[in-house]
Amino acid sequence: MGLLSGKTALITGASKGIGRAIAIRYAQEGANVAFTYLSSVEKGQALENELAAFGIQAKGYRSDASDFKAAEELVNSVVADFGSLDILVNNAGITRDNLLMRMSEEAWDEVIGVNLKSCFNTVKAATRTMMKAKAGSIINITSVVGIKGNAGQANYAASKSGIIGFTKSVALELGSRNIRCNAVAPGFIETEMTAVLDEKTVQGWRDGIPMKRGGQPEEVANACVFLGSDMSSYISGQVLQVDGAMLT
Ligand code: NAP
């Protein structure tokens, strides 16, 4: 018996990086896993087979997290295909970094849409099912940047701070329905999103972290296993930093 046996989870943006690690850890813990992707179609389809090999029900859906209507259709499909929805992980995210002076309106809107509005979209669509079940765990992936701010990432930091305010409000509104809502704030996690950065910059970041290394996607996924499971049944409205004491 895994920590998530019998539960159905929906994870957005699982074709790579942290989302992919969450999907795999959830499947290992016995959850049935629905997940989304957008541009990485082949990777998404490959993940579906990889997850099914754990003996759970798995299905990938191509769905744009920033699209309100698409999120509603997605959640309806998941509930129809899986019969329930117990855990929602809002992980889909992008960066469009630039100094404020050079940041375009498109770069602002795109980041807010994919990172922040996406949480509103799926939570709004999922709460009906969770309220009926009188149970649910919602996990929103924010960032230490959403707590501290970051030069060159005003759009990203704003979207991640917004997620924290949203998470706490959902926890307050839906607590009486036994729906929990928490945020996970990764620090520097080594994924494809960070692999595009130059090695010297990356080493500089590693050196500045008290634990002297970047985190692995699985280390964020493990926090999501805890928050998705009944192990955290009285924890809601929290922001759990997974950052090697980077922001302490
Ligand atoms: P990543 O490797 O770039 O993966 C991002 C995922 O999001 C991909 O699966 C991508 O799918 C999906 N995605 C992007 N736009 C989407 C959209 N419009 N609709 C649906 N899915 C979409 O990034 P990551 O590093 O794993 O980051 C995952 C989350 O953790 C993000 O929210 C990020 O902000 C957060 N985070 C990361 C770090 C870090 O150090 N890596 C630190 C703090 C927070 P497709 O490729 O199929 O489009």
Side-chain angles (χ1 to χ4, degrees), residues 5-149:
S5 288
K7 293 186 191 290
T8 297
L10 168 60
I11 303 156
T12 66
S15 52
K16 52 193 181 188
I18 293 170
R20 181 184 150 79
I22 297 169
I24 291 170
R25 284 293 295 117
Y26 270 35
Q28 286 171 343
E29 293 295 340
N32 294 317
V33 178
F35 67 91
T36 70
Y37 53 90
L38 187 59
S39 51
S40 311
V41 178
E42 274 176 30
K43 284 184 181 170
Q45 286 164 352
L47 180 64
E48 190 176 301
N49 297 332
E50 202 177 320
L51 295 174
F54 289 104
I56 49 92
Q57 189 183 342
K59 189 166 177 181
Y61 302 79
R62 190 170 190 202
S63 183
D64 182 350
S66 67
D67 183 328
F68 183 79
K69 272 222 173 77
E72 200 172 62
E73 284 165 17
L74 167 72
V75 169
N76 287 342
S77 303
V78 171
V79 173
D81 293 342
F82 288 79
S84 64
L85 179 56
D86 307 290
I87 308 168
L88 169 64
V89 185
N90 283 305
N91 166 81
I94 55 166
T95 53
R96 295 284 181 272
D97 298 354
N98 223 330
L99 292 174
L100 196 51
M101 264 176 59
R102 294 196 207 111
M103 188 175 286
S104 67
E105 185 185 0
E106 289 71 37
W108 174 270
D109 287 344
E110 227 185 313
V111 167
I112 299 295
V114 176
N115 297 5
L116 178 57
K117 189 182 174 213
S118 59
C119 296
F120 169 72
N121 294 346
T122 51
V123 169
K124 182 113 171 123
T127 41
R128 207 176 317 119
T129 301
M130 289 184 173
M131 276 163 75
K132 236 191 265 170
K134 294 193 175 64
S137 175
I138 299 165
I139 301 164
N140 300 319
I141 307 298
T142 175
S143 166
V144 291
V145 165
I147 303 169
K148 189 180 177 290

Side-chain angles (χ1 to χ4, degrees), residues 184-202:
V184 169
F188 172 49
I189 308 300
E190 307 211 14
T191 65
E192 286 173 42
M193 196 186 238
T194 56
V196 296
L197 304 162
D198 87 292
E199 179 59 25
K200 227 174 119 190
T201 310
V202 170

